[in-house]
């Protein structure tokens, strides 16, 4: 019996030793790397850590951009490659931007090549007269040093930046998608220092939803922010609010929309212009105090939205409006309200759906009325964990509560009142719309 117990203890000791060794090896492997998004090679994880310090943990006063990212901006840029780019070697095989020669010296040209091992397209500087890089045999003839530098150059381009923002839209090859993700992440946040400025945004919290009563998470938000007066409306009562605060034409435009989301757009612009305060979409779940999500001393606050692609391939920038704030009478929201009314009057049906009342339209108003407008977050709702959500640097300020609509696509179903579905059916405006 004693011998059996000793054997059992010995077996346990061996198993514990093996498991401990494996854990130690994994820990060592990940010790030099960020956890990142939980997938990818060790090289990708290490690269993920290299880029993460560029993301700041909290909002900072305006001045230098809050977020920066090394991105080539075409022929006008003469800064050369980033500090951590691989050095030029005998064949000058370093990463380059096909839009310019900024990363290649005078004796090299930037060529594109699809590399068979990772099925990505990237650019490399190639000595003039050294032959075309389209020949796969050139890989076989490269020296080990060339291979190492070229592999590093590919990795510098083929990183996981898109995992930190949104799923890239299909309007170019992989390199173009990555560049657009880089540019989006590098858009600066504009957060003024309010320590010596008066708070001009009223503490009113506006929301609208189908139900006249606040949802569970909306009630929790109200209780967690007791200094705010709650102005919650149903889809029906919001019509009377718009009529009383913004006039009969605004009310007619509100009633003309078939998609409830478009009515909510008009409601928020009316509330911001007429009363001021803070607006949250009905599915927004704040993770920080409401007064930390916007600039209380600025005339208005918006967010960055990932560029959208119109049907004709035009890339449209956007200003996100899931969380917005305003002092009464802010010019940017007066512009947005007037634009929505005029779009209803003309029965505007653009290829870019967000031009009617959404972020693309709001961006146009921002370009005209950007004075004293703060930008406090990037919308990264499609990003991989832990970057998903409405994000300021690497701080998630809010999540969106998923609903049934989030899962309908997986079942090949659609919401009959979804704005994208109705836009496809060209059913945006009621036939009985009185606004002429």
């Amino acid at each position: 019996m004693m011998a059996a117990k000793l054997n059992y203890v010995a077996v346990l000791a061996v198993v514990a030793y093996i498991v401990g060794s494996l854990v130690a090896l994994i820990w060592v492997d990940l010790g030099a790397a960020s956890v990142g998004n939980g997938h990818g090679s060790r090289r990708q994880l290490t690269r993920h850590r290299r880029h993460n310090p560029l993301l700041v943990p909290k909002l900072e006063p305006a001045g230098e951009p809050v977020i920066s990212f090394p991105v080539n901006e075409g022929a006008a840029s003469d800064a050369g490659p980033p500090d951590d780019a691989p050095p030029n070697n005998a064949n000058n095989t370093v990463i380059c931007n096909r839009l310019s020669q900024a990363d290649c010296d005078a004796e090299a040209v930037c060529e594109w090549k699809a590399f068979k091992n990772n099925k990505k397209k990237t650019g490399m500087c190639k000595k003039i007269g050294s032959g075309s890089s389209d020949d796969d045999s050139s890989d076989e003839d490269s020296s080990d040093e060339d291979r190492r530098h070229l592999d590093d150059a590919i990795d510098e381009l083929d990183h996981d930046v898109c995992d930190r923002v949104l799923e890239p839209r299909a309007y170019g090859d992989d390199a173009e998608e990555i560049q657009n993700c880089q540019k989006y992440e590098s858009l600066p946040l504009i957060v003024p220092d309010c320590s010596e400025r008066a708070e001009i945004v009223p503490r009113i919290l506006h929301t609208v939803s189908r139900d006249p009563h606040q949802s569970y998470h909306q009630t929790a938000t109200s209780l967690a922010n007791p200094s705010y007066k709650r102005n919650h409306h149903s889809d029906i009562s919001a019509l009377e609010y718009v009529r009383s605060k913004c006039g009969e034409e605004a009310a007619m435009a509100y009633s003309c929309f078939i998609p409830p989301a478009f009515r909510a757009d008009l409601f928020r612009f009316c509330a911001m212009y007429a009363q001021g305060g803070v607006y949250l979409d009905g599915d927004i779940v704040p993770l920080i105090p409401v007064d930390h999500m916007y600039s209380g001393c600025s005339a208005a606050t918006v967010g960055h939205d990932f560029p959208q692609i119109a049907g004709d391939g035009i890339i449209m920038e956007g200003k996100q409006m899931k969380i917005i704030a305003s002092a009464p009478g802010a010019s940017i929201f007066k512009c947005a309200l007037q634009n929505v009314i005029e779009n209803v009057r003309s029965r505007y049906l653009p290829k870019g759906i967000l031009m009617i009342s959404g972020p693309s339209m709001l961006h146009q108003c921002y370009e005209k009325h950007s004075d004293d407008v703060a930008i406090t977050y990037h919308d990264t709702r499609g990003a991989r964990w832990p970057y998903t959500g409405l994000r300021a640097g690497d701080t998630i300020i809010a999540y969106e509560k998923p609903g049934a609509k989030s899962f309908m696509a997986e079942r090949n179903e659609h919401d009959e009142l979804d704005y994208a579905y109705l836009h496809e059916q060209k059913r945006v405006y009621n036939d009985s719309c009185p606004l002429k």
Side-chain angles (χ1 to χ4, degrees), residues 11-29:
V11 170
L12 286 179
V14 171
V15 171
Y17 175 79
I18 294 173
V19 171
S21 299
L22 289 174
V23 170
L25 287 173
I26 293 172
W27 184 259
V28 170
D29 187 53

Side-chain angles (χ1 to χ4, degrees), residues 110-163:
C110 183
E111 294 185 351
W112 279 107
K113 181 174 181 180
F115 291 92
K116 56 189 177 183
N117 291 332
N118 70 346
K119 298 180 181 179
K120 298 281 187 180
K121 290 184 179 180
T122 190
M124 57 178 287
C125 297
K126 194 71 174 176
K127 282 287 187 180
I128 297 174
S130 62
S132 172
S133 62
D134 292 331
D135 184 4
D136 286 340
S137 64
S138 63
D139 280 344
E140 305 298 331
D141 297 335
S142 296
S143 66
D144 290 341
E145 184 74 3
D146 291 345
R147 286 176 182 274
R148 183 175 67 81
H149 286 309
L150 184 55
D151 184 55
D152 287 344
I154 293 171
D155 281 344
E156 284 301 315
L157 181 65
D158 183 26
H159 50 68
D160 299 326
V161 60
C162 287
D163 287 341

Side-chain angles (χ1 to χ4, degrees), residues 257 261-262 265 269 321 340 343 353-359 361:
F257 277 130
F262 289 179
D265 292 342
F269 297 141
M321 40 199 257
V340 174
N343 288 342
I353 186 172
L354 300 184
M355 283 296 300
I356 297 175
S357 62
M361 181 277 296

Side-chain angles (χ1 to χ4, degrees), residues 77-260:
S77 173
D78 59 0
D83 293 337
D84 58 350
N88 290 2
N89 66 347
N91 289 325
N92 208 33
T93 51
V94 299
I95 186 172
C96 60
N97 183 341
R98 75 171 183 172
L99 302 178
S100 76
Q101 293 294 116
D103 293 334
C104 299
D105 60 33
E107 298 179 357
V109 294
C110 183
E111 294 185 351
W112 279 107
K113 181 174 181 180
F115 291 92
K116 56 189 177 183
N117 291 332
N118 70 346
K119 298 180 181 179
K120 298 281 187 180
K121 290 184 179 180
T122 190
M124 57 178 287
C125 297
K126 194 71 174 176
K127 282 287 187 180
I128 297 174
S130 62
S132 172
S133 62
D134 292 331
D135 184 4
D136 286 340
S137 64
S138 63
D139 280 344
E140 305 298 331
D141 297 335
S142 296
S143 66
D144 290 341
E145 184 74 3
D146 291 345
R147 286 176 182 274
R148 183 175 67 81
H149 286 309
L150 184 55
D151 184 55
D152 287 344
I154 293 171
D155 281 344
E156 284 301 315
L157 181 65
D158 183 26
H159 50 68
D160 299 326
V161 60
C162 287
D163 287 341
R164 297 199 298 272
V165 287
L166 292 179
E167 291 299 323
R169 305 301 191 261
Y171 51 83
D173 58 30
D174 294 326
E176 287 178 319
E177 292 171 355
I178 291 171
Q179 284 180 336
N180 278 283
C181 288
Q182 288 177 335
K183 289 177 181 179
Y184 179 64
E185 188 177 64
S186 70
L187 291 174
L189 300 182
I190 302 174
V191 187
D193 184 356
C194 291
S195 61
E196 297 183 359
R197 294 174 58 179
E199 182 176 356
I200 60 176
V201 176
R203 294 210 166 200
I204 307 171
L205 194 54
H206 304 275
T207 51
V208 62
S209 62
R210 185 182 307 177
D211 198 309
H213 304 291
Q214 296 182 63
S215 66
Y216 181 86
H217 74 273
Q218 288 174 329
T219 301
T221 299
S222 294
L223 292 174
N225 297 272
S227 64
Y228 287 80
K229 176 184 176 182
R230 170 66 84 161
N231 179 39
H232 178 78
H233 287 275
S234 69
D235 188 43
I236 296 174
S237 67
L239 172 61
E240 293 308 314
Y241 175 88
V242 169
R243 178 176 283 113
S244 65
K245 298 295 183 181
C246 297
E248 190 61 34
E249 281 198 339
M252 286 192 290
Y254 182 95
S255 62
C256 285
F257 277 130
I258 296 176

Side-chain angles (χ1 to χ4, degrees), residues 42-98:
R42 184 168 183 260
R43 182 189 298 274
Q44 289 173 322
L45 291 172
T46 304
R47 181 175 60 248
H48 210 61
R49 184 182 184 187
R50 182 162 63 239
H51 290 298
N52 281 351
L54 297 173
L55 305 176
V56 297
K58 61 183 178 179
L59 304 184
E60 297 291 349
E64 294 300 319
V66 174
I67 296 178
S68 61
F69 202 98
V71 179
N72 287 324
E73 294 295 345
S77 173
D78 59 0
D83 293 337
D84 58 350
N88 290 2
N89 66 347
N91 289 325
N92 208 33
T93 51
V94 299
I95 186 172
C96 60
N97 183 341
R98 75 171 183 172

